[in-house]
Amino acid sequence: MKIETVAHQYHLTTPTLRYYEQEGLLGPVRRINGIRDYQPADLERLDFIVCVKRCGMTLHQIKHFVDIYQQDPATLPERLEILQNQLQVSREKQAQLADSIDHLQDKITDVKALQTTENSVLS
Amino acid sequence: MKIETVAHQYHLTTPTLRYYEQEGLLGPVRRINGIRDYQPADLERLDFIVCVKRCGMTLHQIKHFVDIYQQDPATLPERLEILQNQLQVSREKQAQLADSIDHLQDKITDVKALQTTENSVLS
DNA sequence: CCTTGACTTCAAGTATACTTGAAGTGCTAA
DNA sequence: TTAGCACTTCAAGTATACTTGAAGTCAAGG
């Protein structure tokens, strides 16, 4: 699969994909002419990248993970620890976000009340 | 209330508070000697800043909001629109985060399964 | 054949949000 | 009174994540 197709499917830009590659997060094979050819395994990894990035992992941390992902068996405990750690962090984020959304709703209610007051003053 | 106290209470640093002020998000009164004195109204605004920042609003957007907040009544519809817009964005973020957390949990299950396989191979 | 458009590399630029450093002022407690 | 700490300003530096620009290659269609 070509870079443009991948970019489109993942709602990314082609420079972003090249940037991720430059940072060591991806490494699609190349055709003879140098053109990137994304394989299913690359897309699977991209799924993971998009997922953990949304959870708040930095590209640097993601790189470390994909690095140890290669050397398989010995790194399983570390991989588990990283993922569990990230899960905890993400859950905290989730709780904070839920809280902030509540506050935002309260604020909206306040503004709506103010608007009503405004209208009654004008009438 | 002094800057250090505020920073401590909001889990921010004093340079961050000064930076927010520089960006026009806050404007605590000063004592004669120039020292910032945060009033309850400033803390309320800081509550709001922390809240919408967690929802994903940029400092730039926050500044715009606090700017129109001053000139009160005419800006009520715009304020409402901004808040409602942000609420929608935040809810999308929330949904994506929930989704990513699910994937993360699946990944953890996978790694745990791999570890068990590893163990059974070794035994 | 030659233009068009997607691909390539590499370097430099941008946006956001802080952080750090230098240099100085002023209250407080030994 | 003097040491020390928190306060001040202003400028410059850092981290993260891209984005943009320049210059060039290559395959397909008119």
Side-chain angles (χ1 to χ4, degrees), chain A residues 51 54-55 73 76-77 80 83-84 87 90-91 94 96-98 100-101 103-105 108 112 115 118, chain B residues 51 54-55 73 77 80 83-84 87 90-91 94 96-98 100-101 103-105 108 111-112 115 118:
Chain A
C51 166
R54 276 210 275 252
C55 285
L76 276 170
L80 186 62
L83 293 178
Q84 283 178 330
L87 180 62
S90 305
R91 282 194 173 136
Q94 194 175 33
Q96 284 190 334
L97 183 58
S100 292
I101 285 174
H103 284 314
L104 204 50
Q105 277 177 313
I108 287 170
K112 276 184 180 165
Q115 267 189 328
E118 198 64 23
Chain B
C51 166
R54 276 211 276 251
C55 286
L80 187 61
L83 293 178
Q84 282 178 331
L87 181 61
S90 304
R91 281 193 173 137
Q94 194 175 33
Q96 284 189 335
L97 183 57
S100 292
I101 285 175
H103 284 314
L104 203 51
Q105 277 177 312
I108 287 170
V111 173
K112 275 184 179 163
Q115 267 188 328
E118 198 64 23

